[in-house]
Structures are given as C-alpha cells and as structure tokens.
C-alpha cells in the first residue's frame, strides 16, 4: 500500500499519508511534491518525467518556489518532497530547504545521489533537511550502469548512502524493480540491510512516462514477481525475528492486479505536484492528460486546489462512465488511474484497464502474456535524455 | 509484547530520531512525521509524547500529566500502556 513520492519511476500511487490508518484526508494537499528541475545526469529508461520534458523551459525562481511552499503550508501541507529530475542540479537547493524547514515542513530530498557530497549533505542537515531518499537502479554495478546510463553512479550512490546514515538522517532506499533486476531481489535487500536503510521501497515499475515507452523491456513475468514477493516476505520475517527495524515496502505493478489502485488516494485529495515550470498537477503523471492544468504563476495554490477545473475534473463520482458508474466498488478504487486509462484507451474517463471489468482489460492481459516471451535486450531501451525527448516530442 | 513490560517508572523515553513531533494547526492535533509519512496522534497520545524529551522519566511524565488533568483519575497505567505501544512502534527509545 505505501508507496511514496519517489520520482524515480515513482508514480506516488499511495503516499504513506493515505496509507496510515489513523490519517484521514481533510481534502487538503498534505503532500507537496516540488519537481525543481527536469535536468538529470542519469538517463533511466523508467523515469516518470514526461516524454516531452525537453520542451518545458523557464524553471520557477527561488522566490517563486518559496512562495509556493508558503501557500502550500497555509493550505495544510506538511510533507514537502524535493524531486526532479535531479533536485541537486538546482544551485539554490539549500535556500529552498532552509525556507521550507522554517515554514514547518518535513522536508524530503529525493535524489539519485549523483552530485551529492559530504559537505553538501551536512549543510542541508544544518538548513533543516529531514530525510534523504537515494534511488538505486540495481544491486550491482553493471546492471546499475546499464540502467542509469552512467558508469560511476553506483559507487557514488553507495558512498552517499553510507554518508546519509553517518550524518544521522533517516534513509529510504528506493529500488525500481523490473525484469532486468527483480531476480536479484535477495541481493538488493541484503545491500539495503548492509547500508542500514530505515525504509526500503522495492517498487516494481509503474508504466508511465518513459517506463510506458519501455514497458516491454521492463514488465516482469508473473513468476518473477511472485518469486520476488515470496523472497521479500522471507526476509521480512527473518529481519523482524533478528530485531532489525528496517521496513521493506514491496510495491506490485498493477498490471498483475484484477482491480485498479485507488490512484493518488483520490484525485486532488492529498497530493499536489508542481512541475519545474510551475504547472500544478494532482499527480506527477497527469501532465500527459488532455486537461488544462493551472500554473502557480497565474493562480494561487488555494484557487488551484479548490477551484481550478483541472483539480476538480475527477473529484467525486459524476465523471464516471460505465462500467464504473454502476459498479459497487466505485467508491473504493474511484475508477483507478486516469493516466493509465488515457494511455491505453485514449479516454481518461474510461475505467482503468487494469480492472477485470474494463472492456479494455485484454490490453493488460496481452501485456502479461507478452512478458512471457520478451527476450531481455537492454539495447531496446529508449533512454530518458534530451535528445530522445525532442525526437519523441516531435513524434 | 516484551517491550511493553520494559516500561518502568524509572524508564527515560526519548523520541526516536527517525520521527519529528510537532503540533499541526491544520490537523488540530500533534503529529509524528517521518520520511514521506505522518501519524496523527489522538489527544492523550499527543499530551504524553509532548513530555517525552529524553530527560524526564516515566514517573515525572505521569506526575506532570496527573497535575494537568486532575479530574482524569489515575492515568499512570494508561501512560505506561501507551509508551509500551509507542516503543513497539519504534516511535520512542528507552
């Protein structure tokens, strides 16, 4: 259930905020995800940034971000994620951390670790950074390099993960898993234990953005997934018995479900993303939808949250078509993910095809069957970089 | 369950540094914040954790709360129960 605001594929489907039973939504944006930049030194083929990211120029300034943070805080936001792209690319990150901390946010830096060093980490801590999440592509250097498009990244990540703990931060390690690395889940978990992670997200790819472009080379088989889940459960028992407080969070890909996820715990219910150029979104994949979303340069966050057509679009149940409209589970899953419905069926108002009741469910079944036959071939990956982004954007 | 029995009047609880404890006006309650998550605390839980500072022992915390909520009767067992739960959840260390 508990996925997070990780950008590294991280469709933040169910932020922890929604998963904690004692937490009720108050219909305010508790979680503000600040995508500070689309720039990133890595090229992960499952990045959740939009395919056409290279087309969006004009990043918000320091002052504009601080204004957005204050407005979010006034609306009740308490968790702030610095993400991207790679947020470390922003030279004013320390000012943004310091400002957000003073406003009372719990501040999360979601980073690849590339561009981080001991000194910066200590300065961030002093400025009030609460937590660092380091994303890994794999448990070993060669796979990590292949997936990130960087030779040196793996050693740097290990070093930074050790430093995060040495400096007393809580640490979440995020591994996006897929057919190329999921069979090494035992090694991944052992690496996380060795690095003394507090939380580990073993997040099977969610197929948005670049990951959708690469779904064939990413989607694991059912057997791979079941094995990984079984091994994870074995480790959970073993670690708990040994008194290790590490928490392993296993996120299954919804392609192997028969009912859709309650996406974002409800559209415009707890989560608000602001893109590098100021677009406000109810989830960080939503930019792909043919819906007009407001910009923080043109409206206040309160207007955006309460009044904008974009944020109201999928609130309530009135937008639903069949089979959702008359479904007795409609209030449970709210029709699932609108981006997935849009990508697979061309209409975001359709039921999420993950649902067995969707007339488009055969697309998911086909993808699963396809996964049984695909030959692993990293050369087929479309890597997330500016060149590919421009080619894709031109279509 | 063994951790529950460890709470004694001399125990000195401290907040696990994984968590941040603060009052949230928008929620009208104390909360525990942790990486990408939040636990909303009910009234008594918030009042108890507000006194957990790594210096006071359980007797002192109990005395302070007993004085603050004089009409509540004997609350010492409730406090020990809650601290036991909080310890089990890794919210506090002893």
């Amino acid at each position: 259930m508990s996925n997070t605001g990780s950008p590294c594929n991280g469709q933040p489907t169910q932020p922890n905020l929604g998963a904690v039973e004692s937490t009720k939504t108050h219909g305010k944006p508790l979680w503000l995800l600040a995508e500070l930049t689309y720039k990133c030194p890595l090229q992960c083929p499952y990045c959740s940034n939009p395919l056409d990211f290279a087309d969006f120029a004009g990043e918000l300034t320091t002052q504009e971000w601080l204004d957005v943070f204050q407005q979010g805080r006034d609306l009740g936001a308490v968790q702030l994620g610095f993400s991207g792209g790679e947020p470390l690319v922003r030279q004013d990150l320390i000012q943004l951390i310091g400002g957000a901390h003073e406003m009372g946010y719990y501040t999360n830096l979601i980073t690849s670790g590339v561009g981080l060093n001991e000194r910066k980490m200590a300065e961030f801590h002093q400025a009030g950074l609460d937590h660092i999440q380091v994303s890994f592509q794999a448990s070993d250097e060669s796979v990590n390099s292949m997936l990130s498009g960087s030779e040196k990244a793996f050693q740097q990540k290990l070093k930074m993960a050790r430093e995060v703990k040495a400096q007393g931060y809580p640490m979440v390690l995020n591994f996006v898993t897929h057919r190329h690395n999921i069979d090494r889940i035992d090694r991944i978990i052992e690496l996380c234990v060795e690095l003394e992670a507090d939380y580990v997200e073993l997040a099977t790819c969610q197929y948005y953005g670049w990951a959708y472009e690469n779904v064939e080379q990413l989607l694991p088989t059912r057997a791979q997934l079941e094995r990984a889940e079984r091994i994870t459960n074995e480790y959970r028992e073993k670690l708990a018995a040994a008194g290790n407080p590490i928490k392993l969070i296993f996120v299954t890909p919804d392609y192997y479900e028969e009912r859709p996820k309650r996406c974002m715990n409800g559209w415009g219910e707890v989560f608000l993303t602001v893109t590098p150029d100021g677009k406000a979104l109810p989830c960080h994949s939503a930019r792909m939808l043919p819906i007009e979303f407001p910009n923080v340069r043109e409206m206040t966050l309160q207007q955006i949250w309460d009044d904008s057509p974009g944020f109201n679009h999928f609130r309530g149940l009135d937008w639903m078509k069949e089979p959702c409209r008359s479904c007795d589970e409609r209030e449970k899953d709210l029709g699932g993910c609108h981006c997935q419905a849009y990508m697979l069926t061309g209409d975001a108002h359709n039921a999420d095809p993950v649902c067995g009741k969707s007339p488009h469910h055969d697309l998911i079944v086909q993808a699963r069957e396809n996964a049984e036959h695909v030959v692993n071939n990293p050369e087929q990956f479309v890597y997330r970089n500016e060149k590919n982004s421009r080619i894709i954007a031109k279509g | 369950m063994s951790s529950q029995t460890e709470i004694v009047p001399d125990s000195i609880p401290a907040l696990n540094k994984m968590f941040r404890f603060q009052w949230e006006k928008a929620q009208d309650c104390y909360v525990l914040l942790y990486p990408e998550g939040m636990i909303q605390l009910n009234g008594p839980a918030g009042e108890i954790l507000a006194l957990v500072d790594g210096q006071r022992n359980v007797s002192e915390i109990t005395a302070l709360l007993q004085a603050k909520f004089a009409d509540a009767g004997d609350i010492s067992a409730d406090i020990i129960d809650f601290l036991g739960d909080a310890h089990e959840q890794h919210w506090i260390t002893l």
Side-chain angles (χ1 to χ4, degrees), chain B residues 36-47:
Chain B
E36 300 169 7
M38 174 170 74
I39 296 152
Q40 290 179 313
L41 298 162
N42 64 24
E47 293 290 342

Side-chain angles (χ1 to χ4, degrees), chain B residues 6-13 55-60 80 94:
Chain B
E6 289 169 26
I7 310 279
V8 293
D10 287 343
S11 301
I12 299 178
Q55 316 250 330
R56 295 187 185 95
N57 66 23
V58 172
S59 314
E60 289 164 325
I80 287 187
L94 295 173

Side-chain angles (χ1 to χ4, degrees), chain A residues 63-102:
Chain A
Q63 196 49 51
E64 283 174 319
W65 274 120
L66 290 171
D67 281 350
V68 167
F69 299 165
Q70 187 60 60
Q71 291 179 48
R73 188 75 185 122
D74 293 343
L75 280 178
V78 60
Q79 289 280 349
L80 178 61
F82 297 107
S83 128
E86 172 52 67
L88 292 167
V89 172
R90 283 283 298 222
Q91 296 306 306
D92 56 354
L93 183 55
I94 192 157
Q95 287 163 268
L96 298 177
I97 290 168
H101 175 73
E102 275 173 31

Side-chain angles (χ1 to χ4, degrees), chain A residues 181-209:
Chain A
N181 67 3
I182 196 166
D183 292 336
R184 303 297 306 277
I185 195 118
D186 53 340
R187 182 63 201 114
I188 291 175
I189 294 171
E190 277 169 24
L191 179 65
C192 294
V193 172
E194 185 197 318
L195 292 171
E196 298 175 63
D198 297 292
Y199 296 85
V200 179
E201 294 171 8
L202 303 161
T204 321
C205 249
Q206 310 276 324
Y207 304 101
Y208 303 90

Side-chain angles (χ1 to χ4, degrees), chain A residues 177-309:
Chain A
T177 64
H178 42 72
R179 59 188 295 129
H180 291 266
N181 67 3
I182 196 166
D183 292 336
R184 303 297 306 277
I185 195 118
D186 53 340
R187 182 63 201 114
I188 291 175
I189 294 171
E190 277 169 24
L191 179 65
C192 294
V193 172
E194 185 197 318
L195 292 171
E196 298 175 63
D198 297 292
Y199 296 85
V200 179
E201 294 171 8
L202 303 161
T204 321
C205 249
Q206 310 276 324
Y207 304 101
Y208 303 90
W210 295 81
Y212 184 63
E213 199 71 11
N214 288 302
V215 59
E216 251 194 31
Q217 280 296 320
L218 291 170
L219 186 66
T221 65
R222 188 183 290 276
Q224 279 186 302
L225 191 67
E226 285 174 355
R227 177 180 174 276
E229 196 157 15
R230 175 173 55 75
I231 291 172
T232 305
N233 284 332
E234 288 167 7
Y235 269 98
R236 277 187 186 133
E237 280 176 34
K238 209 161 64 177
L239 290 163
N244 190 325
I246 190 171
K247 284 206 168 60
L248 304 180
I249 300 157
F250 190 88
V251 183
T252 52
D254 54 1
Y255 274 43
Y256 286 98
E257 304 286 346
E258 291 301 317
R259 286 289 177 273
K261 61 195 169 212
R262 183 182 171 91
C263 206
M264 307 311 296
N265 210 26
W267 177 273
E269 281 297 320
V270 290
F271 200 88
L272 196 160
T273 295
V274 179
T275 67
D277 52 321
K279 194 73 101 166
L281 305 171
C283 109
H284 70 232
S285 293
R287 185 162 213 163
M288 73 167 84
L289 297 174
I291 292 173
E292 181 109 9
F293 289 107
N295 194 297
V296 297
R297 285 177 165 139
E298 289 149 18
M299 286 170 93
T300 65
L301 271 201
Q302 183 269 321
Q303 290 169 323
I304 286 170
W305 186 259
D306 291 332
D307 305 329
S308 72

Side-chain angles (χ1 to χ4, degrees), chain A residues 4 16-17 20 22-24 30-31 73 79 104-106 108 130-131 133 170 198-199, chain B residues 17-20 22-27 31 33-40 89-90:
Chain A
T4 60
N16 285 357
L17 289 170
V20 173
S22 57
T23 303
K24 286 190 307 236
L30 295 178
W31 224 131
R73 188 75 185 122
Q79 289 280 349
Y105 278 105
Y106 189 93
N108 305 273
D130 289 295
H131 148 237
Q133 176 185 128
D198 297 292
Y199 296 85
Chain B
K17 63 180 183 197
M18 278 286 292
F19 293 94
R20 204 170 91 197
Q22 71 185 33
W23 174 259
E24 273 299 290
K25 201 169 65 176
Q27 324 289 329
V31 297
L33 299 170
Y34 59 98
E36 300 169 7
M38 174 170 74
I39 296 152
Q40 290 179 313
Q89 303 279 339
H90 302 289

